[in-house]
Structures are given as structure tokens and as C-alpha cells.
Amino acid sequence: MESRLNKTKETIAQKLDLPRDVILNVPKIAITGDNEITIENHKGVVLFEEKEIKINSNVGLITIYGNGFEILFMGGNTLTLSGKFKSVVYEGHE
């Protein structure tokens, strides 16, 4: 049932030229170089360690590897991180 609803939402977003991330409530990730990441539509920080950050979202966990992490902004459903990033991994739902 949920898959059918998501397909309907995606069709509506496409036909009306609406942003998919807003309609489907999926994360939007903007990476600037290797030192700044902004994630919109997240569901909270699950883990914040020296070399790893895990962020919950509707598509599952998003893991960021690197070092020197710092939260620059966290408000509403937007999170901006700085540091030296090595990789971003979508782990999916567990």
C-alpha cells in the first residue's frame, strides 16, 4: 500500500513539477567540497563520533565517515556539518 502511495506522490510531483524531496519527504544532501554537508528532511542524529556520524531519514540511516566533525547548524529538519569527509553511505532501513 505504501509503495503505491509513494508512486502516486512521485507521479504528482513529476506532473506538477514539484520538488520530489518535499513531496516524498526524502533527504536532500548538498555536499560542498570535502568539508561541508547540508542534509534536509532528516529525522535526527543517531551517532556522533570522532570518525563517524549516523543520521536517520525516511530512506534509512545515512553514515558519514571522516574526521574533525562539527555541527554548524541544526534546526527544524536541516543539519549542516563541517569536517573532513571521506564518504557518505546509505545504509537503508534495518
Side-chain angles (χ1 to χ4, degrees):
M1 177 77 171
E2 187 174 318
S3 176
R4 203 161 110 188
L5 180 61
N6 281 342
K7 284 184 181 185
T8 302
K9 285 181 179 180
E10 191 161 347
T11 301
I12 290 170
Q14 185 178 19
K15 300 250 186 223
L16 298 177
D17 198 27
L18 298 170
R20 291 180 63 237
D21 58 307
V22 174
I23 300 298
L24 299 174
N25 199 26
V26 293
K28 179 179 179 181
I29 301 174
I31 301 173
T32 306
D34 64 351
N35 61 2
E36 186 173 295
I37 296 178
T38 300
I39 302 174
E40 297 176 11
N41 297 329
H42 70 89
K43 293 180 133 188
V45 177
V46 176
L47 177 73
F48 190 93
E49 291 184 345
E50 184 179 336
K51 296 186 178 198
E52 178 181 14
I53 298 173
K54 290 186 183 268
I55 299 164
N56 198 9
S57 75
N58 278 346
V59 296
L61 288 177
I62 300 166
T63 303
I64 303 168
Y65 296 99
N67 56 52
F69 296 132
E70 183 180 342
I71 295 176
L72 298 177
F73 175 79
M74 187 171 189
N77 62 354
T78 302
L79 173 67
T80 302
L81 303 167
S82 69
K84 188 72 170 172
F85 304 114
K86 295 189 187 263
S87 66
V88 178
V89 178
Y90 293 94
E91 294 186 21
H93 291 288
E94 293 183 8

XYZ file of all heavy atoms in Angstrom:
736
model
N 0.830 -1.198 0.000
C 0.000 0.000 0.000
C 0.874 1.261 0.000
O 0.615 2.189 -0.737
C -0.940 -0.052 1.205
C -1.793 1.158 1.355
S -3.148 1.115 0.176
C -4.104 2.460 0.743
N 1.908 1.258 0.860
C 2.773 2.434 0.957
C 3.532 2.667 -0.348
O 3.731 3.797 -0.768
C 3.756 2.272 2.116
C 4.571 3.520 2.375
C 5.435 3.397 3.603
O 4.956 2.861 4.611
O 6.586 3.844 3.536
N 3.934 1.586 -1.011
C 4.631 1.706 -2.281
C 3.739 2.362 -3.332
O 4.199 3.191 -4.118
C 5.080 0.325 -2.756
O 5.665 0.415 -4.021
N 2.488 2.001 -3.351
C 1.540 2.595 -4.297
C 1.340 4.078 -4.011
O 1.273 4.899 -4.926
C 0.210 1.848 -4.209
C -0.621 1.980 -5.449
C -1.645 0.902 -5.515
N -2.941 1.512 -5.298
C -4.058 0.858 -5.138
N -4.055 -0.452 -5.116
N -5.186 1.484 -4.973
N 1.269 4.418 -2.733
C 1.126 5.820 -2.333
C 2.352 6.623 -2.765
O 2.218 7.725 -3.290
C 0.918 5.929 -0.816
C 0.761 7.330 -0.250
C -0.450 8.034 -0.845
C 0.660 7.264 1.262
N 3.541 6.060 -2.562
C 4.772 6.749 -2.970
C 4.833 6.934 -4.478
O 5.275 7.969 -4.965
C 6.007 5.994 -2.478
C 6.286 6.255 -1.017
O 5.794 7.218 -0.437
N 7.056 5.388 -0.412
N 4.398 5.931 -5.235
C 4.371 6.057 -6.695
C 3.406 7.149 -7.132
O 3.691 7.917 -8.047
C 3.987 4.722 -7.337
C 5.097 3.720 -7.342
C 4.703 2.455 -8.070
C 5.846 1.464 -8.031
N 5.589 0.269 -8.812
N 2.256 7.238 -6.450
C 1.281 8.282 -6.759
C 1.863 9.655 -6.453
O 1.745 10.580 -7.267
C -0.018 8.063 -5.967
O -0.534 6.769 -6.278
C -1.048 9.116 -6.297
N 2.510 9.786 -5.298
C 3.136 11.056 -4.930
C 4.221 11.440 -5.937
O 4.342 12.598 -6.321
C 3.747 10.968 -3.531
C 2.754 11.002 -2.410
C 3.480 10.940 -1.084
C 2.557 11.002 0.100
N 3.303 10.938 1.375
N 5.012 10.460 -6.358
C 6.081 10.743 -7.316
C 5.509 11.190 -8.662
O 6.018 12.119 -9.287
C 6.960 9.500 -7.499
C 8.214 9.801 -8.260
C 9.288 8.753 -8.056
O 9.179 7.919 -7.150
O 10.248 8.797 -8.834
N 4.420 10.564 -9.086
C 3.766 10.959 -10.339
C 3.230 12.379 -10.249
O 3.404 13.180 -11.172
C 2.618 9.979 -10.680
O 3.158 8.668 -10.791
C 1.934 10.356 -11.972
N 2.601 12.708 -9.124
C 2.069 14.060 -8.920
C 3.198 15.084 -8.924
O 3.096 16.131 -9.555
C 1.252 14.141 -7.610
C -0.045 13.346 -7.765
C 0.951 15.580 -7.233
C -0.810 13.158 -6.469
N 4.283 14.774 -8.211
C 5.430 15.689 -8.160
C 5.991 15.923 -9.556
O 6.333 17.052 -9.919
C 6.508 15.124 -7.247
N 6.054 14.866 -10.353
C 6.603 14.982 -11.711
C 5.670 15.788 -12.612
O 6.113 16.682 -13.328
C 6.825 13.591 -12.293
C 7.497 13.607 -13.636
C 7.739 12.198 -14.149
O 7.112 11.247 -13.698
N 8.646 12.074 -15.087
N 4.382 15.496 -12.564
C 3.414 16.184 -13.437
C 3.278 17.664 -13.086
O 3.127 18.494 -13.973
C 2.046 15.514 -13.349
C 2.053 14.066 -13.775
C 1.333 13.898 -15.058
C 1.248 12.409 -15.354
N 1.505 12.080 -16.694
N 3.324 17.985 -11.797
C 3.171 19.376 -11.367
C 4.502 20.104 -11.222
O 4.535 21.253 -10.793
C 2.401 19.430 -10.038
C 0.968 18.892 -10.077
C 0.353 18.937 -8.686
C 0.121 19.676 -11.065
N 5.596 19.403 -11.557
C 6.936 19.974 -11.472
C 7.240 20.488 -10.058
O 7.750 21.593 -9.875
C 7.117 21.088 -12.509
C 8.580 21.400 -12.764
O 9.415 20.492 -12.571
O 8.886 22.540 -13.144
N 6.919 19.659 -9.069
C 7.179 19.976 -7.666
C 8.452 19.264 -7.218
O 8.795 18.211 -7.751
C 6.002 19.535 -6.790
C 4.665 20.211 -7.078
C 3.559 19.518 -6.308
C 4.727 21.679 -6.723
N 9.152 19.805 -6.210
C 10.379 19.146 -5.741
C 10.070 17.787 -5.102
O 9.266 17.695 -4.180
C 10.957 20.118 -4.723
C 9.954 21.175 -4.516
C 8.891 21.049 -5.538
N 10.733 16.730 -5.591
C 10.492 15.379 -5.097
C 10.847 15.234 -3.619
O 10.176 14.515 -2.894
C 11.307 14.373 -5.908
C 10.817 14.219 -7.322
C 11.633 13.224 -8.130
N 11.531 11.894 -7.545
C 12.574 11.171 -7.138
N 13.789 11.632 -7.261
N 12.402 9.976 -6.632
N 11.932 15.896 -3.177
C 12.348 15.747 -1.789
C 11.283 16.240 -0.821
O 11.089 15.665 0.248
C 13.693 16.442 -1.532
C 13.671 17.916 -1.862
O 13.284 18.260 -2.999
O 14.049 18.726 -0.996
N 10.545 17.266 -1.192
C 9.490 17.807 -0.320
C 8.257 16.912 -0.347
O 7.717 16.555 0.698
C 9.124 19.252 -0.738
C 7.942 19.760 0.062
C 10.318 20.173 -0.577
N 7.824 16.518 -1.529
C 6.614 15.709 -1.677
C 6.797 14.325 -1.065
O 5.927 13.821 -0.366
C 6.209 15.587 -3.165
C 5.925 16.959 -3.768
C 5.016 14.661 -3.342
C 4.784 17.710 -3.119
N 7.938 13.696 -1.317
C 8.173 12.328 -0.841
C 8.841 12.285 0.532
O 9.040 11.207 1.083
C 9.031 11.573 -1.861
C 8.430 11.435 -3.247
C 9.432 10.815 -4.205
C 7.154 10.624 -3.204
N 9.208 13.431 1.081
C 9.859 13.533 2.392
C 11.136 12.690 2.454
O 11.374 11.975 3.418
C 8.897 13.161 3.517
C 9.377 13.691 4.851
O 10.095 14.685 4.925
N 8.993 13.021 5.923
N 11.940 12.756 1.406
C 13.225 12.062 1.373
C 14.335 13.082 1.616
O 14.151 14.276 1.377
C 13.447 11.324 0.029
C 12.470 10.184 -0.128
C 13.368 12.260 -1.149
N 15.487 12.620 2.107
C 16.549 13.569 2.404
C 17.136 14.203 1.143
O 17.211 13.568 0.097
C 17.603 12.720 3.120
C 17.330 11.338 2.705
C 15.863 11.256 2.434
N 17.516 15.455 1.303
C 18.230 16.175 0.244
C 19.599 16.499 0.819
O 19.703 17.156 1.858
C 17.484 17.445 -0.131
C 18.172 18.254 -1.201
C 17.371 19.483 -1.544
C 18.050 20.324 -2.594
N 17.269 21.527 -2.892
N 20.647 16.030 0.145
C 22.006 16.191 0.650
C 22.792 17.064 -0.321
O 22.879 16.756 -1.508
C 22.699 14.821 0.814
C 21.898 13.954 1.788
C 24.137 14.998 1.301
C 22.401 12.538 1.907
N 23.345 18.157 0.210
C 24.202 19.047 -0.584
C 25.607 18.979 0.006
O 25.809 19.290 1.181
C 23.678 20.469 -0.550
N 26.567 18.559 -0.817
C 27.954 18.422 -0.377
C 28.776 19.512 -1.055
O 28.776 19.623 -2.280
C 28.512 17.030 -0.728
C 27.657 15.948 -0.065
C 29.973 16.917 -0.310
C 28.016 14.542 -0.473
N 29.466 20.312 -0.250
C 30.323 21.365 -0.761
C 31.768 20.955 -0.515
O 32.232 20.937 0.622
C 30.024 22.704 -0.061
O 28.643 22.987 -0.181
C 30.842 23.829 -0.672
N 32.451 20.597 -1.605
C 33.831 20.127 -1.482
C 33.906 18.888 -0.616
O 33.043 18.014 -0.689
N 34.933 18.818 0.231
C 35.050 17.695 1.148
C 34.979 18.158 2.601
O 35.413 17.463 3.507
C 36.353 16.925 0.910
C 37.590 17.763 1.190
O 37.453 18.985 1.397
O 38.692 17.194 1.202
N 34.373 19.365 2.802
C 34.371 19.884 4.161
C 33.041 20.451 4.654
O 32.977 20.983 5.758
C 35.472 20.934 4.335
C 35.290 22.118 3.422
O 34.328 22.200 2.666
N 36.223 23.043 3.483
N 31.963 20.337 3.869
C 30.664 20.800 4.359
C 29.535 20.001 3.711
O 29.533 19.785 2.505
C 30.462 22.289 4.070
C 29.185 22.827 4.708
C 29.055 24.329 4.575
O 29.891 25.046 5.158
O 28.118 24.771 3.885
N 28.608 19.542 4.547
C 27.445 18.788 4.089
C 26.202 19.373 4.737
O 26.180 19.598 5.946
C 27.540 17.291 4.449
C 28.701 16.637 3.728
C 26.240 16.555 4.128
C 28.896 15.167 4.057
N 25.164 19.615 3.933
C 23.858 20.034 4.447
C 22.854 18.950 4.101
O 22.753 18.529 2.949
C 23.422 21.378 3.830
O 24.392 22.370 4.172
C 22.055 21.798 4.359
N 22.130 18.484 5.117
C 21.115 17.448 4.935
C 19.779 18.025 5.363
O 19.627 18.483 6.490
C 21.437 16.190 5.754
C 22.804 15.637 5.354
C 20.341 15.135 5.588
C 23.275 14.481 6.194
N 18.814 17.999 4.437
C 17.454 18.436 4.739
C 16.550 17.216 4.830
O 16.839 16.181 4.237
C 16.951 19.376 3.645
C 17.754 20.658 3.541
C 17.302 21.538 2.395
O 16.248 21.271 1.792
O 18.019 22.499 2.090
N 15.451 17.328 5.533
C 14.471 16.250 5.716
C 15.051 15.053 6.462
O 14.736 13.913 6.158
C 13.871 15.783 4.383
C 13.094 16.870 3.691
O 12.520 17.733 4.341
N 13.086 16.852 2.381
N 15.910 15.301 7.447
C 16.434 14.200 8.257
C 15.520 13.976 9.457
O 14.617 14.762 9.719
C 17.871 14.486 8.715
C 17.970 15.570 9.743
N 17.897 15.324 11.090
C 18.114 16.902 9.612
C 18.008 16.458 11.752
N 18.141 17.446 10.862
N 15.749 12.886 10.171
C 14.933 12.547 11.343
C 15.767 12.472 12.618
O 15.366 11.830 13.567
C 14.223 11.220 11.110
C 13.193 11.272 10.022
C 12.560 9.923 9.871
C 11.070 10.072 9.819
N 10.390 8.779 9.858
N 16.922 13.108 12.619
C 17.732 13.158 13.830
C 19.094 12.498 13.688
O 19.311 11.652 12.828
N 19.988 12.902 14.578
C 21.335 12.342 14.635
C 21.303 11.138 15.560
O 20.895 11.243 16.714
C 22.359 13.389 15.129
C 23.742 12.784 15.257
C 22.383 14.593 14.196
N 21.728 9.978 15.061
C 21.722 8.740 15.840
C 23.066 8.540 16.529
O 23.127 8.096 17.672
C 21.408 7.528 14.922
C 21.494 6.224 15.676
C 20.048 7.691 14.274
N 24.161 8.880 15.844
C 25.505 8.672 16.370
C 26.394 9.822 15.924
O 26.368 10.219 14.752
C 26.075 7.341 15.833
C 27.497 6.991 16.216
C 27.562 6.588 17.683
C 28.015 5.867 15.343
N 27.161 10.370 16.857
C 28.108 11.444 16.536
C 29.424 11.106 17.221
O 29.572 11.287 18.418
C 27.577 12.800 17.013
C 28.371 13.965 16.504
C 27.998 14.598 15.336
C 29.486 14.419 17.173
C 28.717 15.681 14.849
C 30.223 15.491 16.707
C 29.833 16.124 15.536
N 30.371 10.566 16.459
C 31.671 10.190 16.998
C 32.776 10.888 16.219
O 32.512 11.573 15.233
C 31.859 8.668 16.926
C 30.943 7.915 17.871
C 31.201 6.419 17.879
O 31.894 5.915 16.963
O 30.695 5.755 18.796
N 34.001 10.663 16.645
C 35.152 11.343 16.053
C 35.297 11.079 14.549
O 35.620 11.976 13.787
C 36.426 10.894 16.773
C 37.665 11.616 16.310
C 38.905 11.164 17.063
O 38.776 10.668 18.198
O 40.000 11.315 16.513
N 35.030 9.841 14.102
C 35.246 9.494 12.695
C 33.982 9.020 11.984
O 34.057 8.569 10.843
C 36.312 8.402 12.595
C 37.656 8.871 13.094
C 38.723 7.856 12.861
C 40.052 8.435 13.357
N 41.183 7.748 12.814
N 32.824 9.149 12.631
C 31.597 8.620 12.037
C 30.365 9.352 12.583
O 30.269 9.616 13.769
C 31.508 7.131 12.366
C 30.293 6.430 11.885
C 30.302 4.960 12.294
O 31.097 4.544 13.163
O 29.480 4.227 11.731
N 29.451 9.671 11.680
C 28.170 10.266 12.054
C 27.078 9.442 11.382
O 27.184 9.109 10.205
C 28.055 11.729 11.580
C 29.123 12.587 12.233
C 26.669 12.290 11.876
C 29.186 14.002 11.703
N 26.024 9.103 12.133
C 24.872 8.394 11.571
C 23.647 9.285 11.740
O 23.385 9.783 12.828
C 24.637 7.065 12.272
C 25.695 6.027 11.972
C 25.337 4.683 12.564
C 26.437 3.688 12.321
N 26.251 2.937 11.113
N 22.922 9.462 10.636
C 21.742 10.320 10.626
C 20.559 9.496 10.137
O 20.658 8.802 9.115
C 21.982 11.546 9.717
C 23.162 12.343 10.272
C 20.735 12.402 9.626
C 23.756 13.319 9.336
N 19.453 9.574 10.851
C 18.254 8.837 10.480
C 17.464 9.626 9.438
O 17.435 10.849 9.464
C 17.396 8.587 11.721
C 16.393 7.487 11.521
O 16.412 6.771 10.523
N 15.502 7.347 12.480
N 16.824 8.898 8.517
C 15.988 9.531 7.498
C 14.911 8.554 7.059
O 14.910 7.391 7.479
C 16.833 9.952 6.288
O 17.176 8.824 5.521
N 14.008 9.004 6.200
C 12.955 8.134 5.694
C 13.475 7.028 4.786
O 12.767 6.069 4.521
C 11.888 8.942 4.948
C 10.899 9.566 5.893
O 10.837 9.219 7.066
N 10.125 10.511 5.406
N 14.697 7.161 4.266
C 15.275 6.113 3.434
C 16.239 5.236 4.231
O 16.926 4.401 3.668
C 15.988 6.695 2.189
C 15.009 7.389 1.276
C 17.127 7.597 2.585
N 16.288 5.418 5.534
C 17.182 4.650 6.404
C 18.321 5.503 6.905
O 18.301 6.729 6.803
N 19.323 4.819 7.463
C 20.461 5.538 8.025
C 21.394 6.049 6.932
O 21.627 5.376 5.930
C 21.262 4.623 8.956
C 20.620 4.286 10.296
C 21.500 3.315 11.072
C 20.366 5.530 11.112
N 21.917 7.250 7.162
C 22.938 7.841 6.309
C 24.178 7.961 7.186
O 24.136 8.600 8.238
C 22.511 9.230 5.799
C 21.219 9.123 4.992
C 23.630 9.862 4.985
C 20.549 10.454 4.736
N 25.272 7.315 6.791
C 26.501 7.334 7.573
C 27.544 8.167 6.835
O 27.742 8.008 5.632
C 27.042 5.912 7.797
O 26.036 5.139 8.442
C 28.275 5.930 8.679
N 28.191 9.052 7.577
C 29.239 9.912 7.028
C 30.531 9.561 7.748
O 30.582 9.565 8.981
C 28.895 11.402 7.230
C 27.545 11.718 6.576
C 30.002 12.285 6.684
C 26.983 13.060 6.957
N 31.572 9.238 6.973
C 32.879 8.901 7.527
C 33.864 10.026 7.234
O 33.776 10.682 6.200
C 33.403 7.601 6.910
C 32.561 6.396 7.231
C 31.629 5.917 6.317
C 32.685 5.742 8.451
C 30.850 4.812 6.609
C 31.900 4.638 8.749
C 30.993 4.176 7.824
O 30.210 3.081 8.116
N 34.780 10.255 8.166
C 35.790 11.292 8.027
C 36.363 11.625 9.389
O 36.457 10.766 10.264
N 36.700 12.908 9.612
C 37.180 13.332 10.931
C 37.023 14.834 11.094
O 36.747 15.551 10.139
C 38.634 12.887 11.156
C 39.562 13.388 10.087
O 39.589 14.570 9.786
N 40.328 12.487 9.489
N 37.175 15.291 12.331
C 37.061 16.712 12.641
C 35.648 17.251 12.485
O 35.458 18.405 12.107
N 34.650 16.428 12.785
C 33.258 16.826 12.585
C 32.820 17.922 13.556
O 33.204 17.933 14.716
C 32.318 15.634 12.753
C 32.519 14.548 11.736
C 32.610 13.233 12.116
C 32.619 14.850 10.391
C 32.784 12.231 11.189
C 32.797 13.857 9.446
C 32.876 12.539 9.856
N 31.987 18.803 13.044
C 31.398 19.871 13.849
C 30.021 20.181 13.275
O 29.842 20.239 12.061
C 32.285 21.115 13.776
C 31.801 22.254 14.619
C 32.728 23.469 14.519
O 33.882 23.333 14.081
O 32.265 24.563 14.874
N 29.039 20.359 14.162
C 27.707 20.757 13.720
C 27.690 22.274 13.610
O 27.873 22.976 14.597
C 26.617 20.271 14.694
C 26.569 18.745 14.706
C 25.250 20.834 14.297
C 25.592 18.152 15.717
N 27.497 22.776 12.388
C 27.443 24.221 12.164
C 26.038 24.763 12.386
O 25.863 25.872 12.876
C 27.894 24.558 10.742
C 29.318 24.193 10.370
C 29.583 24.535 8.912
C 30.310 24.909 11.275
N 25.031 23.972 11.985
C 23.637 24.402 12.123
C 22.752 23.178 12.274
O 22.922 22.188 11.569
C 23.189 25.204 10.895
C 21.732 25.581 10.918
C 21.296 26.646 11.684
C 20.804 24.858 10.204
C 19.956 26.992 11.728
C 19.456 25.189 10.233
C 19.034 26.259 10.996
N 21.806 23.261 13.204
C 20.804 22.214 13.362
C 19.511 22.890 13.774
O 19.413 23.455 14.853
C 21.222 21.190 14.412
C 20.304 20.012 14.505
S 21.041 18.768 15.588
C 19.928 17.425 15.311
N 18.533 22.852 12.868
C 17.255 23.483 13.157
C 16.170 22.888 12.284
O 16.387 22.641 11.095
N 15.019 22.641 12.861
C 13.926 22.038 12.100
C 14.357 20.703 11.538
O 14.781 19.821 12.272
N 14.320 20.577 10.237
C 14.743 19.328 9.608
C 16.004 19.523 8.757
O 16.251 18.779 7.829
C 13.610 18.730 8.768
C 13.198 19.634 7.626
O 13.673 20.755 7.501
N 12.310 19.151 6.795
N 16.813 20.536 9.114
C 18.048 20.834 8.385
C 19.251 20.697 9.309
O 19.223 21.140 10.452
C 18.007 22.258 7.795
O 16.877 22.361 6.933
C 19.261 22.574 7.015
N 20.298 20.070 8.785
C 21.530 19.857 9.535
C 22.703 20.206 8.623
O 22.771 19.735 7.486
C 21.621 18.383 9.960
C 22.906 17.905 10.603
C 23.111 18.564 11.966
C 22.878 16.394 10.760
N 23.621 21.055 9.114
C 24.827 21.388 8.365
C 26.035 20.978 9.186
O 26.163 21.356 10.349
C 24.896 22.895 8.038
O 23.734 23.256 7.291
C 26.129 23.225 7.214
N 26.914 20.178 8.571
C 28.102 19.662 9.235
C 29.361 20.155 8.530
O 29.358 20.347 7.310
C 28.121 18.131 9.178
C 26.932 17.396 9.764
C 26.962 15.943 9.336
C 26.953 17.510 11.269
N 30.434 20.333 9.308
C 31.737 20.613 8.711
C 32.710 19.557 9.202
O 32.445 18.843 10.169
C 32.232 22.013 9.083
O 32.565 22.063 10.454
N 33.824 19.451 8.533
C 34.845 18.468 8.870
C 35.560 18.053 7.607
O 35.417 18.676 6.555
N 36.304 16.997 7.684
C 36.996 16.434 6.526
C 36.294 15.122 6.199
O 36.463 14.122 6.883
C 38.466 16.200 6.859
C 39.304 15.813 5.683
C 39.509 16.985 4.760
C 40.548 16.626 3.711
N 40.669 17.625 2.686
N 35.455 15.127 5.157
C 34.619 13.978 4.827
C 35.329 13.038 3.862
O 35.965 13.482 2.907
C 33.296 14.436 4.217
C 32.550 15.391 5.104
C 32.345 16.695 4.720
C 32.077 14.987 6.334
C 31.675 17.586 5.536
C 31.408 15.862 7.164
C 31.202 17.167 6.763
N 35.182 11.743 4.108
C 35.764 10.721 3.232
C 34.697 10.021 2.417
O 34.902 9.724 1.253
C 36.552 9.708 4.046
C 37.758 10.319 4.711
C 38.639 9.272 5.330
C 39.730 9.928 6.123
N 40.964 10.059 5.449
N 33.520 9.740 3.021
C 32.458 9.063 2.279
C 31.101 9.256 2.942
O 31.011 9.520 4.139
C 32.750 7.569 2.129
O 32.714 6.927 3.383
N 30.065 9.124 2.126
C 28.674 9.156 2.578
C 28.046 7.852 2.117
O 28.116 7.512 0.932
C 27.914 10.352 1.985
C 26.459 10.333 2.424
C 28.569 11.669 2.385
N 27.453 7.103 3.057
C 26.912 5.778 2.755
C 25.444 5.721 3.166
O 25.094 6.095 4.280
C 27.703 4.687 3.523
C 27.112 3.305 3.254
C 29.172 4.729 3.163
N 24.601 5.235 2.239
C 23.198 4.984 2.552
C 23.089 3.545 3.025
O 23.351 2.618 2.276
C 22.314 5.169 1.310
C 22.264 6.586 0.830
C 23.122 7.030 -0.156
C 21.337 7.477 1.368
C 23.075 8.337 -0.607
C 21.280 8.786 0.922
C 22.156 9.201 -0.069
O 22.106 10.497 -0.505
N 22.719 3.360 4.288
C 22.631 2.016 4.847
C 21.250 1.412 4.674
O 21.070 0.227 4.870
C 23.018 2.034 6.320
C 24.483 2.397 6.528
C 24.911 2.272 7.963
O 24.256 1.561 8.751
O 25.919 2.892 8.312
N 20.259 2.216 4.343
C 18.897 1.701 4.179
C 18.253 1.412 5.517
O 18.798 1.677 6.579
N 17.046 0.860 5.448
C 16.302 0.525 6.666
C 16.837 -0.761 7.245
O 17.188 -1.684 6.530
C 14.808 0.369 6.357
C 14.160 1.654 5.995
N 13.916 2.648 6.915
C 13.725 2.129 4.797
C 13.346 3.673 6.301
N 13.223 3.378 5.011
N 16.864 -0.822 8.578
C 17.319 -2.043 9.260
C 16.165 -2.866 9.729
O 15.110 -2.437 9.935
C 18.199 -1.663 10.453
C 19.486 -1.026 10.004
C 20.412 -0.708 11.161
O 20.137 -1.102 12.297
O 21.415 -0.074 10.913
